[in-house]
Amino acid sequence: MHYSNTTLSPIPGPVTAAMLRLDLLHPEVSGNKWFKLKYNLAAAAAALSPVHIVTFGGAYSNHIAATAVACKEAGYRCTGIIRGERPPVPGHTLQQAQAHGMMLEYVSRETYKTYTQGGFQREGAWVIPEGGHNSYGASGCEEILSILPTADFTHIMCAVGTGTTLAGLINSALPHQQIIGIPVLKGAQYLENEITKLLHPGARPSWQLLHNFHGGGYAKTSPALIDFINTFYKETGIPTDIIYTGKLVMAFHELSRQRYFPDTSKVLLIHTGGLQGNLSLPSGVLSL
């Protein structure tokens, strides 16, 4: 993966801020997805021949979409375990995953929960947890802050799903930097423990999760969020998604309005990609 397309885009407002555009890395394996897959795929290739990847996700999973493309490009066989019954007409994400060669297996939500809580094994396959949430995923995300110079930022913000990306940022950030995670799931206090499991021992920068910006829960939208995403795109030319980065930027604007950041702050927002998630909306809702 070449990182030459990645840029730091300034964000207008009362606080000096910029966005690290990981969405520009790759048209389909974009954002943090590549970093979470990088060392998982390398470990699989070292352990298996031929390589067979098995992973998990929902019907609109960015991770499923990215894994399908990454495995196709690497020449690996892959299977996606999909939460819920097979829909009469699969959505864009699942159609694209299949088009890229991923085999899909639909399981009940109860079975899926058992599988993703450690009750899954498949002989001859390398299993990547849902969202790439393991030490390999976190190790890949430790490379995010080295793509472009980021040492002069005082705060680093990221949307949080599984916590893997945030763990990588905490492990690699400088001591003076404060890491702020914006969970997109409602009632996700368990994430503190999940993130802590992936952190290196010893001294680390300060970090925290702010749980009040989930907008109703995972994949929940509102007219306010849609309006914000459209306005932000009109003002900056930066597309964001309804599940992760849109809520991240909305949280940043609200925190800035509340004067959460000291006057001398310089804030870095991580664009984690996932724009394909917007395709779940009817055409014309977003003006991206």
Side-chain angles (χ1 to χ4, degrees):
M1 184 74 67
H2 299 287
Y3 300 151
S4 57
N5 289 338
T6 308
T7 64
L8 282 171
S9 298
I11 297 177
V15 177
T16 301
M19 179 172 282
L20 181 58
R21 297 288 305 280
L22 299 185
D23 59 307
L24 300 177
L25 281 176
H26 189 282
E28 293 173 290
V29 193
S30 69
N32 59 345
K33 315 304 177 292
W34 162 248
F35 296 95
K36 292 196 285 185
L37 288 170
K38 178 179 180 180
Y39 290 113
N40 271 293
L41 296 182
L48 299 173
S49 181
V51 176
H52 179 200
I53 301 295
V54 177
T55 195
F56 308 87
Y60 300 103
S61 167
N62 292 318
H63 172 69
I64 287 290
T67 302
V69 176
C71 286
K72 179 181 179 181
E73 293 187 355
Y76 300 158
R77 178 186 171 203
C78 65
T79 299
I81 308 296
I82 308 302
R83 181 179 62 248
E85 303 301 323
R86 178 184 176 88
V89 180
H92 171 84
T93 300
L94 299 182
Q95 289 184 34
Q96 288 298 102
Q98 283 186 303
H100 289 299
M102 176 177 275
M103 296 171 288
L104 302 182
E105 297 180 11
Y106 296 86
V107 299
S108 68
R109 293 180 180 274
E110 293 76 15
T111 299
Y112 186 89
K113 184 177 181 179
T114 300
Y115 283 175
T116 54
Q117 291 181 346
F120 182 88
Q121 294 181 346
R122 181 161 296 180
E123 186 176 355
W126 185 272
V127 178
I128 301 178
E130 184 180 34
H133 182 64
N134 60 10
S135 60
Y136 292 109
S139 293
C141 292
E142 290 175 22
E143 300 179 1
I144 290 173
L145 295 179
S146 65
I147 297 175
L148 292 171
T150 56
D152 58 340
F153 287 95
T154 58
H155 298 73
I156 299 170
M157 295 185 66
C158 182
V160 177
T162 63
T164 313
T165 302
L166 198 76
L169 296 174
I170 296 166
N171 283 336
S172 57
L174 298 174
H176 72 277
Q177 295 175 317
Q178 181 178 350
I179 315 301
I180 301 171
I182 304 297
V184 299
L185 297 89
K186 186 177 182 179
Q189 280 68 24
Y190 66 88
L191 283 170
E192 276 88 349
N193 185 50
E194 291 300 310
I195 293 168
T196 300
K197 292 177 183 177
L198 296 175
L199 299 182
H200 298 326
R204 63 179 65 99
S206 63
W207 65 279
Q208 62 178 320
L209 298 179
L210 302 181
H211 289 277
N212 296 327
F213 300 100
H214 52 72
Y218 184 75
K220 299 292 186 181
T221 62
S222 66
L225 176 63
I226 298 299
D227 182 65
F228 179 86
I229 289 174
N230 285 331
T231 300
F232 184 72
Y233 179 70
K234 182 179 180 181
E235 293 177 349
T236 65
I238 302 174
T240 57
D241 72 293
I242 58 174
I243 299 176
Y244 293 102
T245 308
K247 291 183 178 181
L248 168 70
V249 183
M250 200 171 182
F252 165 70
H253 274 246
E254 178 61 22
L255 291 170
S256 300
R257 189 188 66 80
Q258 297 173 3
R259 301 188 64 83
Y260 175 89
F261 303 102
D263 292 340
T264 57
S265 298
K266 188 173 183 182
V267 183
L268 177 67
L269 284 76
I270 309 296
H271 195 313
T272 50
L275 295 174
Q276 69 91 28
N278 289 339
L279 296 174
S280 63
L281 294 174
S283 176
V285 173
L286 293 179
S287 56
L288 309 182

